[in-house]
Amino acid sequence: MNARVSIQTEDFDLSAEVARLRAGHKGVGAVCTFVGTVRDRNDGQSVSTLELEHYPGMTEKSIEQMIDEAFKRFDILGARVIHRVGLLQPLDQIVLVAVTSAHRGESFQACEFLMDYLKTQAPFWKKEQTPEGARWVDARVSDDAALAKWGIASNNA
Amino acid sequence: MKIHLRYFASIREAIGSGSESVETAAATLAGLRDELIARGGAYAEALARGRAVRVSVNQTMADESAALTDGAEVAFFPPVTGG
């Protein structure tokens, strides 16, 4: 069985990941993917690089649990999450969530659910390099609100 | 009992270390945090009450009322910002 979660420094290939997720699954009628990328601006300042730290072990475990929860809540057939760590530049891909299902509604929902969950519950931290020096990115209350709409309380921010 | 401590992101930078082992008699995470704050200096500042500090026990998010057990891995870190 293919891995559901990868934490890696290297880039990923969306087409290859989708092909792997679909391979041999004749019941799949919908694939929904989300790719997060590094912006060159955040909170009013230009960003030259982004460095991602995580908690090895807990990161994988927490995302595996999120995927288990997605399978319980939605009628989906497969899910894949890749998150990059280390030093990234604007334009780089940072995160992939891909979900397959028989019909589109379930994979759209599960994809958004997994991203909302990941933003507030997976142990990653971003540090930006700006013209005024390095700064840790602040958590957003709006991300807690996004998870709350799935009935899950979060007080991350 | 012995606890394995981990620190991440801004808390790791402030304390100047990513991990250490401590002996504690604290019953809960809150008590352990208080002991670390009582060391003063960077610990007192990074873990100060009123600052947003998140905690995990054995790699699962926890709240500070959680009980400590011998050999547990406890991590202190700021709010998460992945995705």
Side-chain angles (χ1 to χ4, degrees), chain A residues 53-55 57-58 61 83 119-122 124-127 136-137 139 155-156, chain B residues 8-9 12-13 54 56 58-61 73 75 77-83:
Chain A
E53 179 173 337
H54 77 121
Y55 185 168
M58 181 173 168
K61 191 170 137 182
H83 205 300
K119 291 287 285 187
T120 57
Q121 305 295 311
F124 293 100
W125 301 275
K126 285 177 181 148
K127 191 181 196 181
W136 290 97
V137 173
N155 65 345
N156 179 55
Chain B
F8 290 95
R12 172 184 54 74
E13 282 186 342
R54 305 291 168 243
S56 66
N58 295 327
Q59 304 192 350
T60 300
M61 294 281 196
E73 179 175 301
F77 44 80
V80 304
T81 54

PDB file of all heavy atoms in Angstrom, chain A residues 53-55 57-58 61 83 119-122 124-127 136-137 139 155-156, chain B residues 8-9 12-13 54 56 58-61 73 75 77-83:
ATOM      1  N   GLU A  53       9.657  24.312  10.040  1.00  0.00           N
ATOM      2  CA  GLU A  53      10.097  23.369  11.067  1.00  0.00           C
ATOM      3  C   GLU A  53       8.912  22.469  11.396  1.00  0.00           C
ATOM      4  O   GLU A  53       7.761  22.878  11.263  1.00  0.00           O
ATOM      5  CB  GLU A  53      10.518  24.183  12.306  1.00  0.00           C
ATOM      6  CG  GLU A  53      10.987  23.351  13.483  1.00  0.00           C
ATOM      7  CD  GLU A  53      11.559  24.240  14.606  1.00  0.00           C
ATOM      8  OE1 GLU A  53      11.986  25.387  14.323  1.00  0.00           O
ATOM      9  OE2 GLU A  53      11.561  23.785  15.762  1.00  0.00           O
ATOM     10  N   HIS A  54       9.181  21.235  11.816  1.00  0.00           N
ATOM     11  CA  HIS A  54       8.072  20.375  12.251  1.00  0.00           C
ATOM     12  C   HIS A  54       8.536  19.482  13.387  1.00  0.00           C
ATOM     13  O   HIS A  54       9.680  19.586  13.827  1.00  0.00           O
ATOM     14  CB  HIS A  54       7.510  19.560  11.073  1.00  0.00           C
ATOM     15  CG  HIS A  54       8.344  18.385  10.673  1.00  0.00           C
ATOM     16  ND1 HIS A  54       7.881  17.089  10.666  1.00  0.00           N
ATOM     17  CD2 HIS A  54       9.624  18.316  10.252  1.00  0.00           C
ATOM     18  CE1 HIS A  54       8.839  16.275  10.272  1.00  0.00           C
ATOM     19  NE2 HIS A  54       9.903  16.981  10.004  1.00  0.00           N
ATOM     20  N   TYR A  55       7.636  18.643  13.862  1.00  0.00           N
ATOM     21  CA  TYR A  55       7.889  17.769  15.000  1.00  0.00           C
ATOM     22  C   TYR A  55       7.881  16.346  14.449  1.00  0.00           C
ATOM     23  O   TYR A  55       6.821  15.728  14.359  1.00  0.00           O
ATOM     24  CB  TYR A  55       6.787  17.997  16.029  1.00  0.00           C
ATOM     25  CG  TYR A  55       6.893  17.267  17.369  1.00  0.00           C
ATOM     26  CD1 TYR A  55       6.052  17.634  18.402  1.00  0.00           C
ATOM     27  CD2 TYR A  55       7.798  16.218  17.596  1.00  0.00           C
ATOM     28  CE1 TYR A  55       6.108  16.998  19.643  1.00  0.00           C
ATOM     29  CE2 TYR A  55       7.861  15.584  18.813  1.00  0.00           C
ATOM     30  CZ  TYR A  55       7.012  15.968  19.837  1.00  0.00           C
ATOM     31  OH  TYR A  55       7.055  15.331  21.053  1.00  0.00           O
ATOM     32  N   GLY A  57       7.660  12.643  13.744  1.00  0.00           N
ATOM     33  CA  GLY A  57       6.922  11.642  14.520  1.00  0.00           C
ATOM     34  C   GLY A  57       5.517  12.111  14.806  1.00  0.00           C
ATOM     35  O   GLY A  57       4.553  11.530  14.307  1.00  0.00           O
ATOM     36  N   MET A  58       5.392  13.208  15.535  1.00  0.00           N
ATOM     37  CA  MET A  58       4.049  13.722  15.826  1.00  0.00           C
ATOM     38  C   MET A  58       3.377  14.232  14.546  1.00  0.00           C
ATOM     39  O   MET A  58       2.155  14.095  14.385  1.00  0.00           O
ATOM     40  CB  MET A  58       4.104  14.841  16.859  1.00  0.00           C
ATOM     41  CG  MET A  58       2.721  15.389  17.194  1.00  0.00           C
ATOM     42  SD  MET A  58       2.739  16.571  18.554  1.00  0.00           S
ATOM     43  CE  MET A  58       1.070  17.254  18.402  1.00  0.00           C
ATOM     44  N   LYS A  61       1.994  11.257  12.662  1.00  0.00           N
ATOM     45  CA  LYS A  61       0.925  10.647  13.457  1.00  0.00           C
ATOM     46  C   LYS A  61      -0.343  11.497  13.430  1.00  0.00           C
ATOM     47  O   LYS A  61      -1.456  10.985  13.259  1.00  0.00           O
ATOM     48  CB  LYS A  61       1.440  10.510  14.898  1.00  0.00           C
ATOM     49  CG  LYS A  61       0.620   9.695  15.834  1.00  0.00           C
ATOM     50  CD  LYS A  61       1.421   9.471  17.128  1.00  0.00           C
ATOM     51  CE  LYS A  61       0.551   9.650  18.341  1.00  0.00           C
ATOM     52  NZ  LYS A  61       1.315   9.477  19.603  1.00  0.00           N
ATOM     53  N   HIS A  83       3.650  17.248   2.805  1.00  0.00           N
ATOM     54  CA  HIS A  83       4.000  18.584   3.314  1.00  0.00           C
ATOM     55  C   HIS A  83       5.503  18.726   3.263  1.00  0.00           C
ATOM     56  O   HIS A  83       6.223  17.855   3.745  1.00  0.00           O
ATOM     57  CB  HIS A  83       3.500  18.760   4.748  1.00  0.00           C
ATOM     58  CG  HIS A  83       3.273  20.184   5.134  1.00  0.00           C
ATOM     59  ND1 HIS A  83       4.289  21.122   5.112  1.00  0.00           N
ATOM     60  CD2 HIS A  83       2.156  20.846   5.524  1.00  0.00           C
ATOM     61  CE1 HIS A  83       3.791  22.293   5.490  1.00  0.00           C
ATOM     62  NE2 HIS A  83       2.501  22.165   5.739  1.00  0.00           N
ATOM     63  N   LYS A 119      -4.093  22.993   9.057  1.00  0.00           N
ATOM     64  CA  LYS A 119      -3.655  24.361   9.367  1.00  0.00           C
ATOM     65  C   LYS A 119      -3.580  24.639  10.873  1.00  0.00           C
ATOM     66  O   LYS A 119      -2.808  25.495  11.300  1.00  0.00           O
ATOM     67  CB  LYS A 119      -4.621  25.400   8.756  1.00  0.00           C
ATOM     68  CG  LYS A 119      -4.626  25.500   7.262  1.00  0.00           C
ATOM     69  CD  LYS A 119      -3.395  26.160   6.686  1.00  0.00           C
ATOM     70  CE  LYS A 119      -3.303  27.641   6.837  1.00  0.00           C
ATOM     71  NZ  LYS A 119      -2.137  28.190   6.092  1.00  0.00           N
ATOM     72  N   THR A 120      -4.428  23.952  11.639  1.00  0.00           N
ATOM     73  CA  THR A 120      -4.519  24.285  13.064  1.00  0.00           C
ATOM     74  C   THR A 120      -4.059  23.172  14.000  1.00  0.00           C
ATOM     75  O   THR A 120      -3.897  23.413  15.195  1.00  0.00           O
ATOM     76  CB  THR A 120      -5.975  24.639  13.455  1.00  0.00           C
ATOM     77  OG1 THR A 120      -6.809  23.523  13.118  1.00  0.00           O
ATOM     78  CG2 THR A 120      -6.463  25.863  12.718  1.00  0.00           C
ATOM     79  N   GLN A 121      -3.877  21.960  13.482  1.00  0.00           N
ATOM     80  CA  GLN A 121      -3.606  20.827  14.384  1.00  0.00           C
ATOM     81  C   GLN A 121      -2.324  20.065  14.074  1.00  0.00           C
ATOM     82  O   GLN A 121      -1.946  19.181  14.833  1.00  0.00           O
ATOM     83  CB  GLN A 121      -4.795  19.844  14.354  1.00  0.00           C
ATOM     84  CG  GLN A 121      -6.139  20.486  14.674  1.00  0.00           C
ATOM     85  CD  GLN A 121      -6.221  21.002  16.088  1.00  0.00           C
ATOM     86  OE1 GLN A 121      -5.892  20.300  17.035  1.00  0.00           O
ATOM     87  NE2 GLN A 121      -6.639  22.253  16.257  1.00  0.00           N
ATOM     88  N   ALA A 122      -1.676  20.339  12.956  1.00  0.00           N
ATOM     89  CA  ALA A 122      -0.439  19.602  12.648  1.00  0.00           C
ATOM     90  C   ALA A 122       0.759  20.454  13.077  1.00  0.00           C
ATOM     91  O   ALA A 122       0.785  21.666  12.839  1.00  0.00           O
ATOM     92  CB  ALA A 122      -0.371  19.287  11.155  1.00  0.00           C
ATOM     93  N   PHE A 124       3.529  22.104  12.528  1.00  0.00           N
ATOM     94  CA  PHE A 124       4.456  22.779  11.611  1.00  0.00           C
ATOM     95  C   PHE A 124       4.558  24.243  12.041  1.00  0.00           C
ATOM     96  O   PHE A 124       3.571  24.822  12.513  1.00  0.00           O
ATOM     97  CB  PHE A 124       3.917  22.795  10.172  1.00  0.00           C
ATOM     98  CG  PHE A 124       3.836  21.466   9.505  1.00  0.00           C
ATOM     99  CD1 PHE A 124       2.630  20.792   9.432  1.00  0.00           C
ATOM    100  CD2 PHE A 124       4.948  20.897   8.896  1.00  0.00           C
ATOM    101  CE1 PHE A 124       2.529  19.567   8.784  1.00  0.00           C
ATOM    102  CE2 PHE A 124       4.861  19.680   8.246  1.00  0.00           C
ATOM    103  CZ  PHE A 124       3.656  19.016   8.192  1.00  0.00           C
ATOM    104  N   TRP A 125       5.726  24.837  11.812  1.00  0.00           N
ATOM    105  CA  TRP A 125       5.905  26.269  12.099  1.00  0.00           C
ATOM    106  C   TRP A 125       6.671  26.921  10.968  1.00  0.00           C
ATOM    107  O   TRP A 125       7.691  26.393  10.515  1.00  0.00           O
ATOM    108  CB  TRP A 125       6.670  26.465  13.415  1.00  0.00           C
ATOM    109  CG  TRP A 125       5.946  25.835  14.559  1.00  0.00           C
ATOM    110  CD1 TRP A 125       4.947  26.383  15.291  1.00  0.00           C
ATOM    111  CD2 TRP A 125       6.137  24.507  15.075  1.00  0.00           C
ATOM    112  NE1 TRP A 125       4.511  25.496  16.234  1.00  0.00           N
ATOM    113  CE2 TRP A 125       5.217  24.347  16.119  1.00  0.00           C
ATOM    114  CE3 TRP A 125       6.995  23.451  14.733  1.00  0.00           C
ATOM    115  CZ2 TRP A 125       5.132  23.151  16.845  1.00  0.00           C
ATOM    116  CZ3 TRP A 125       6.903  22.265  15.460  1.00  0.00           C
ATOM    117  CH2 TRP A 125       5.988  22.127  16.500  1.00  0.00           C
ATOM    118  N   LYS A 126       6.192  28.089  10.540  1.00  0.00           N
ATOM    119  CA  LYS A 126       6.814  28.818   9.421  1.00  0.00           C
ATOM    120  C   LYS A 126       7.599  30.017   9.930  1.00  0.00           C
ATOM    121  O   LYS A 126       7.098  30.797  10.741  1.00  0.00           O
ATOM    122  CB  LYS A 126       5.725  29.355   8.489  1.00  0.00           C
ATOM    123  CG  LYS A 126       5.066  28.330   7.621  1.00  0.00           C
ATOM    124  CD  LYS A 126       3.963  28.997   6.802  1.00  0.00           C
ATOM    125  CE  LYS A 126       3.248  27.983   5.926  1.00  0.00           C
ATOM    126  NZ  LYS A 126       1.833  28.335   5.749  1.00  0.00           N
ATOM    127  N   LYS A 127       8.786  30.177   9.385  1.00  0.00           N
ATOM    128  CA  LYS A 127       9.595  31.355   9.688  1.00  0.00           C
ATOM    129  C   LYS A 127       9.910  32.060   8.369  1.00  0.00           C
ATOM    130  O   LYS A 127      10.460  31.437   7.452  1.00  0.00           O
ATOM    131  CB  LYS A 127      10.880  30.920  10.378  1.00  0.00           C
ATOM    132  CG  LYS A 127      11.669  32.057  10.965  1.00  0.00           C
ATOM    133  CD  LYS A 127      12.933  31.525  11.604  1.00  0.00           C
ATOM    134  CE  LYS A 127      13.539  32.561  12.523  1.00  0.00           C
ATOM    135  NZ  LYS A 127      14.789  32.040  13.113  1.00  0.00           N
ATOM    136  N   TRP A 136       8.707  34.648  12.973  1.00  0.00           N
ATOM    137  CA  TRP A 136       7.828  33.479  12.992  1.00  0.00           C
ATOM    138  C   TRP A 136       6.432  33.929  12.592  1.00  0.00           C
ATOM    139  O   TRP A 136       5.947  34.964  13.067  1.00  0.00           O
ATOM    140  CB  TRP A 136       7.814  32.843  14.375  1.00  0.00           C
ATOM    141  CG  TRP A 136       9.115  32.181  14.707  1.00  0.00           C
ATOM    142  CD1 TRP A 136      10.136  32.712  15.435  1.00  0.00           C
ATOM    143  CD2 TRP A 136       9.554  30.887  14.291  1.00  0.00           C
ATOM    144  NE1 TRP A 136      11.177  31.822  15.499  1.00  0.00           N
ATOM    145  CE2 TRP A 136      10.855  30.695  14.813  1.00  0.00           C
ATOM    146  CE3 TRP A 136       8.978  29.860  13.528  1.00  0.00           C
ATOM    147  CZ2 TRP A 136      11.581  29.518  14.591  1.00  0.00           C
ATOM    148  CZ3 TRP A 136       9.713  28.694  13.320  1.00  0.00           C
ATOM    149  CH2 TRP A 136      10.986  28.534  13.845  1.00  0.00           C
ATOM    150  N   VAL A 137       5.779  33.156  11.765  1.00  0.00           N
ATOM    151  CA  VAL A 137       4.428  33.491  11.312  1.00  0.00           C
ATOM    152  C   VAL A 137       3.444  33.264  12.461  1.00  0.00           C
ATOM    153  O   VAL A 137       3.546  32.270  13.174  1.00  0.00           O
ATOM    154  CB  VAL A 137       4.050  32.616  10.098  1.00  0.00           C
ATOM    155  CG1 VAL A 137       2.603  32.809   9.692  1.00  0.00           C
ATOM    156  CG2 VAL A 137       4.987  32.918   8.929  1.00  0.00           C
ATOM    157  N   ALA A 139      -0.208  32.421  14.093  1.00  0.00           N
ATOM    158  CA  ALA A 139      -1.413  31.652  13.767  1.00  0.00           C
ATOM    159  C   ALA A 139      -2.591  32.608  13.590  1.00  0.00           C
ATOM    160  O   ALA A 139      -2.609  33.692  14.161  1.00  0.00           O
ATOM    161  CB  ALA A 139      -1.703  30.652  14.882  1.00  0.00           C
ATOM    162  N   ASN A 155      -8.345  25.837  19.562  1.00  0.00           N
ATOM    163  CA  ASN A 155      -7.895  27.113  20.140  1.00  0.00           C
ATOM    164  C   ASN A 155      -6.424  27.318  19.822  1.00  0.00           C
ATOM    165  O   ASN A 155      -5.657  27.776  20.648  1.00  0.00           O
ATOM    166  CB  ASN A 155      -8.166  27.168  21.643  1.00  0.00           C
ATOM    167  CG  ASN A 155      -7.347  26.134  22.398  1.00  0.00           C
ATOM    168  OD1 ASN A 155      -6.803  25.210  21.793  1.00  0.00           O
ATOM    169  ND2 ASN A 155      -7.237  26.279  23.700  1.00  0.00           N
ATOM    170  N   ASN A 156      -6.039  26.931  18.611  1.00  0.00           N
ATOM    171  CA  ASN A 156      -4.631  27.050  18.231  1.00  0.00           C
ATOM    172  C   ASN A 156      -4.141  28.486  18.302  1.00  0.00           C
ATOM    173  O   ASN A 156      -3.166  28.786  18.982  1.00  0.00           O
ATOM    174  CB  ASN A 156      -4.412  26.487  16.829  1.00  0.00           C
ATOM    175  CG  ASN A 156      -2.965  26.609  16.395  1.00  0.00           C
ATOM    176  OD1 ASN A 156      -2.049  26.149  17.058  1.00  0.00           O
ATOM    177  ND2 ASN A 156      -2.753  27.278  15.269  1.00  0.00           N
TER     178      ASN A 156
ATOM    179  N   PHE B   8      10.024  23.568  20.333  1.00  0.00           N
ATOM    180  CA  PHE B   8      10.019  23.830  18.896  1.00  0.00           C
ATOM    181  C   PHE B   8       9.840  25.321  18.578  1.00  0.00           C
ATOM    182  O   PHE B   8       9.295  26.082  19.384  1.00  0.00           O
ATOM    183  CB  PHE B   8       8.900  23.034  18.211  1.00  0.00           C
ATOM    184  CG  PHE B   8       9.175  21.562  18.192  1.00  0.00           C
ATOM    185  CD1 PHE B   8       8.654  20.743  19.176  1.00  0.00           C
ATOM    186  CD2 PHE B   8       9.997  20.988  17.226  1.00  0.00           C
ATOM    187  CE1 PHE B   8       8.933  19.375  19.189  1.00  0.00           C
ATOM    188  CE2 PHE B   8      10.284  19.635  17.224  1.00  0.00           C
ATOM    189  CZ  PHE B   8       9.748  18.834  18.206  1.00  0.00           C
ATOM    190  N   ALA B   9      10.312  25.667  17.386  1.00  0.00           N
ATOM    191  CA  ALA B   9      10.113  26.987  16.780  1.00  0.00           C
ATOM    192  C   ALA B   9      10.603  28.108  17.704  1.00  0.00           C
ATOM    193  O   ALA B   9      11.709  28.033  18.213  1.00  0.00           O
ATOM    194  CB  ALA B   9       8.651  27.164  16.355  1.00  0.00           C
ATOM    195  N   ARG B  12      11.941  26.997  21.090  1.00  0.00           N
ATOM    196  CA  ARG B  12      13.257  26.355  20.980  1.00  0.00           C
ATOM    197  C   ARG B  12      14.352  27.419  20.848  1.00  0.00           C
ATOM    198  O   ARG B  12      15.399  27.339  21.519  1.00  0.00           O
ATOM    199  CB  ARG B  12      13.277  25.417  19.756  1.00  0.00           C
ATOM    200  CG  ARG B  12      14.648  24.830  19.429  1.00  0.00           C
ATOM    201  CD  ARG B  12      14.630  23.990  18.160  1.00  0.00           C
ATOM    202  NE  ARG B  12      14.098  24.699  17.004  1.00  0.00           N
ATOM    203  CZ  ARG B  12      14.747  25.658  16.335  1.00  0.00           C
ATOM    204  NH1 ARG B  12      15.963  26.013  16.695  1.00  0.00           N
ATOM    205  NH2 ARG B  12      14.171  26.251  15.312  1.00  0.00           N
ATOM    206  N   GLU B  13      14.098  28.417  19.999  1.00  0.00           N
ATOM    207  CA  GLU B  13      15.109  29.474  19.799  1.00  0.00           C
ATOM    208  C   GLU B  13      15.350  30.260  21.081  1.00  0.00           C
ATOM    209  O   GLU B  13      16.490  30.584  21.421  1.00  0.00           O
ATOM    210  CB  GLU B  13      14.646  30.441  18.704  1.00  0.00           C
ATOM    211  CG  GLU B  13      14.851  29.900  17.311  1.00  0.00           C
ATOM    212  CD  GLU B  13      14.522  30.931  16.239  1.00  0.00           C
ATOM    213  OE1 GLU B  13      13.831  31.926  16.525  1.00  0.00           O
ATOM    214  OE2 GLU B  13      14.943  30.723  15.106  1.00  0.00           O
ATOM    215  N   ARG B  54       1.461  25.940  23.284  1.00  0.00           N
ATOM    216  CA  ARG B  54       0.716  24.690  23.107  1.00  0.00           C
ATOM    217  C   ARG B  54       1.579  23.544  23.623  1.00  0.00           C
ATOM    218  O   ARG B  54       2.805  23.632  23.597  1.00  0.00           O
ATOM    219  CB  ARG B  54       0.366  24.465  21.630  1.00  0.00           C
ATOM    220  CG  ARG B  54      -0.399  25.626  21.009  1.00  0.00           C
ATOM    221  CD  ARG B  54      -1.820  25.761  21.564  1.00  0.00           C
ATOM    222  NE  ARG B  54      -2.421  27.028  21.169  1.00  0.00           N
ATOM    223  CZ  ARG B  54      -2.784  27.971  22.043  1.00  0.00           C
ATOM    224  NH1 ARG B  54      -2.609  27.800  23.328  1.00  0.00           N
ATOM    225  NH2 ARG B  54      -3.326  29.103  21.617  1.00  0.00           N
ATOM    226  N   SER B  56       2.088  19.106  23.950  1.00  0.00           N
ATOM    227  CA  SER B  56       1.711  17.735  23.586  1.00  0.00           C
ATOM    228  C   SER B  56       2.341  16.770  24.582  1.00  0.00           C
ATOM    229  O   SER B  56       3.369  17.063  25.176  1.00  0.00           O
ATOM    230  CB  SER B  56       2.153  17.410  22.164  1.00  0.00           C
ATOM    231  OG  SER B  56       3.568  17.402  22.085  1.00  0.00           O
ATOM    232  N   ASN B  58       3.427  12.690  24.633  1.00  0.00           N
ATOM    233  CA  ASN B  58       3.615  11.516  23.778  1.00  0.00           C
ATOM    234  C   ASN B  58       3.062  11.755  22.370  1.00  0.00           C
ATOM    235  O   ASN B  58       2.365  10.927  21.802  1.00  0.00           O
ATOM    236  CB  ASN B  58       3.008  10.263  24.429  1.00  0.00           C
ATOM    237  CG  ASN B  58       3.749   9.908  25.701  1.00  0.00           C
ATOM    238  OD1 ASN B  58       4.957  10.120  25.809  1.00  0.00           O
ATOM    239  ND2 ASN B  58       3.034   9.388  26.686  1.00  0.00           N
ATOM    240  N   GLN B  59       3.372  12.929  21.853  1.00  0.00           N
ATOM    241  CA  GLN B  59       3.089  13.317  20.473  1.00  0.00           C
ATOM    242  C   GLN B  59       1.591  13.441  20.164  1.00  0.00           C
ATOM    243  O   GLN B  59       1.166  13.268  19.025  1.00  0.00           O
ATOM    244  CB  GLN B  59       3.778  12.358  19.498  1.00  0.00           C
ATOM    245  CG  GLN B  59       5.288  12.287  19.770  1.00  0.00           C
ATOM    246  CD  GLN B  59       6.068  11.584  18.688  1.00  0.00           C
ATOM    247  OE1 GLN B  59       5.491  10.973  17.782  1.00  0.00           O
ATOM    248  NE2 GLN B  59       7.375  11.685  18.745  1.00  0.00           N
ATOM    249  N   THR B  60       0.804  13.755  21.193  1.00  0.00           N
ATOM    250  CA  THR B  60      -0.611  14.062  20.997  1.00  0.00           C
ATOM    251  C   THR B  60      -0.895  15.381  21.704  1.00  0.00           C
ATOM    252  O   THR B  60      -0.476  15.570  22.850  1.00  0.00           O
ATOM    253  CB  THR B  60      -1.500  12.952  21.606  1.00  0.00           C
ATOM    254  OG1 THR B  60      -1.190  11.722  20.945  1.00  0.00           O
ATOM    255  CG2 THR B  60      -2.974  13.261  21.410  1.00  0.00           C
ATOM    256  N   MET B  61      -1.622  16.285  21.025  1.00  0.00           N
ATOM    257  CA  MET B  61      -1.980  17.567  21.625  1.00  0.00           C
ATOM    258  C   MET B  61      -2.686  17.327  22.960  1.00  0.00           C
ATOM    259  O   MET B  61      -3.518  16.428  23.060  1.00  0.00           O
ATOM    260  CB  MET B  61      -2.934  18.353  20.711  1.00  0.00           C
ATOM    261  CG  MET B  61      -2.321  18.781  19.398  1.00  0.00           C
ATOM    262  SD  MET B  61      -1.281  20.247  19.589  1.00  0.00           S
ATOM    263  CE  MET B  61      -1.139  20.733  17.851  1.00  0.00           C
ATOM    264  N   GLU B  73       7.069  11.859  26.816  1.00  0.00           N
ATOM    265  CA  GLU B  73       7.688  12.897  25.985  1.00  0.00           C
ATOM    266  C   GLU B  73       6.728  14.082  25.952  1.00  0.00           C
ATOM    267  O   GLU B  73       5.606  13.955  25.468  1.00  0.00           O
ATOM    268  CB  GLU B  73       7.931  12.367  24.570  1.00  0.00           C
ATOM    269  CG  GLU B  73       8.547  13.403  23.635  1.00  0.00           C
ATOM    270  CD  GLU B  73       8.896  12.827  22.262  1.00  0.00           C
ATOM    271  OE1 GLU B  73       9.691  11.868  22.210  1.00  0.00           O
ATOM    272  OE2 GLU B  73       8.360  13.321  21.259  1.00  0.00           O
ATOM    273  N   ALA B  75       6.164  18.108  24.838  1.00  0.00           N
ATOM    274  CA  ALA B  75       6.695  19.181  23.982  1.00  0.00           C
ATOM    275  C   ALA B  75       5.950  20.480  24.228  1.00  0.00           C
ATOM    276  O   ALA B  75       4.731  20.484  24.413  1.00  0.00           O
ATOM    277  CB  ALA B  75       6.585  18.787  22.515  1.00  0.00           C
ATOM    278  N   PHE B  77       5.399  24.263  22.434  1.00  0.00           N
ATOM    279  CA  PHE B  77       5.604  24.966  21.170  1.00  0.00           C
ATOM    280  C   PHE B  77       4.563  26.064  20.974  1.00  0.00           C
ATOM    281  O   PHE B  77       3.513  26.041  21.628  1.00  0.00           O
ATOM    282  CB  PHE B  77       5.586  23.986  19.984  1.00  0.00           C
ATOM    283  CG  PHE B  77       4.492  22.942  20.015  1.00  0.00           C
ATOM    284  CD1 PHE B  77       3.198  23.239  19.631  1.00  0.00           C
ATOM    285  CD2 PHE B  77       4.782  21.639  20.417  1.00  0.00           C
ATOM    286  CE1 PHE B  77       2.208  22.262  19.637  1.00  0.00           C
ATOM    287  CE2 PHE B  77       3.783  20.651  20.444  1.00  0.00           C
ATOM    288  CZ  PHE B  77       2.504  20.968  20.045  1.00  0.00           C
ATOM    289  N   PRO B  78       4.828  27.005  20.076  1.00  0.00           N
ATOM    290  CA  PRO B  78       3.839  28.058  19.810  1.00  0.00           C
ATOM    291  C   PRO B  78       2.706  27.514  18.938  1.00  0.00           C
ATOM    292  O   PRO B  78       2.816  26.389  18.431  1.00  0.00           O
ATOM    293  CB  PRO B  78       4.648  29.110  19.050  1.00  0.00           C
ATOM    294  CG  PRO B  78       5.780  28.366  18.438  1.00  0.00           C
ATOM    295  CD  PRO B  78       6.086  27.208  19.347  1.00  0.00           C
ATOM    296  N   PRO B  79       1.622  28.280  18.754  1.00  0.00           N
ATOM    297  CA  PRO B  79       0.545  27.858  17.859  1.00  0.00           C
ATOM    298  C   PRO B  79       1.120  27.415  16.508  1.00  0.00           C
ATOM    299  O   PRO B  79       2.088  27.998  16.026  1.00  0.00           O
ATOM    300  CB  PRO B  79      -0.303  29.124  17.710  1.00  0.00           C
ATOM    301  CG  PRO B  79      -0.111  29.826  19.019  1.00  0.00           C
ATOM    302  CD  PRO B  79       1.324  29.583  19.376  1.00  0.00           C
ATOM    303  N   VAL B  80       0.518  26.401  15.929  1.00  0.00           N
ATOM    304  CA  VAL B  80       1.061  25.827  14.689  1.00  0.00           C
ATOM    305  C   VAL B  80       0.660  26.669  13.479  1.00  0.00           C
ATOM    306  O   VAL B  80      -0.386  27.325  13.464  1.00  0.00           O
ATOM    307  CB  VAL B  80       0.628  24.365  14.512  1.00  0.00           C
ATOM    308  CG1 VAL B  80       1.049  23.536  15.726  1.00  0.00           C
ATOM    309  CG2 VAL B  80      -0.873  24.244  14.274  1.00  0.00           C
ATOM    310  N   THR B  81       1.524  26.661  12.441  1.00  0.00           N
ATOM    311  CA  THR B  81       1.281  27.535  11.279  1.00  0.00           C
ATOM    312  C   THR B  81       1.629  26.848   9.958  1.00  0.00           C
ATOM    313  O   THR B  81       2.158  27.458   9.043  1.00  0.00           O
ATOM    314  CB  THR B  81       2.101  28.830  11.410  1.00  0.00           C
ATOM    315  OG1 THR B  81       3.482  28.488  11.609  1.00  0.00           O
ATOM    316  CG2 THR B  81       1.629  29.685  12.570  1.00  0.00           C
ATOM    317  N   GLY B  82       1.327  25.561   9.868  1.00  0.00           N
ATOM    318  CA  GLY B  82       1.632  24.853   8.616  1.00  0.00           C
ATOM    319  C   GLY B  82       0.580  25.090   7.541  1.00  0.00           C
ATOM    320  O   GLY B  82      -0.282  25.941   7.670  1.00  0.00           O
ATOM    321  N   GLY B  83       0.643  24.289   6.488  1.00  0.00           N
ATOM    322  CA  GLY B  83      -0.344  24.351   5.415  1.00  0.00           C
ATOM    323  C   GLY B  83       0.019  25.311   4.321  1.00  0.00           C
ATOM    324  O   GLY B  83       1.054  25.957   4.374  1.00  0.00           O
TER     325      GLY B  83
END
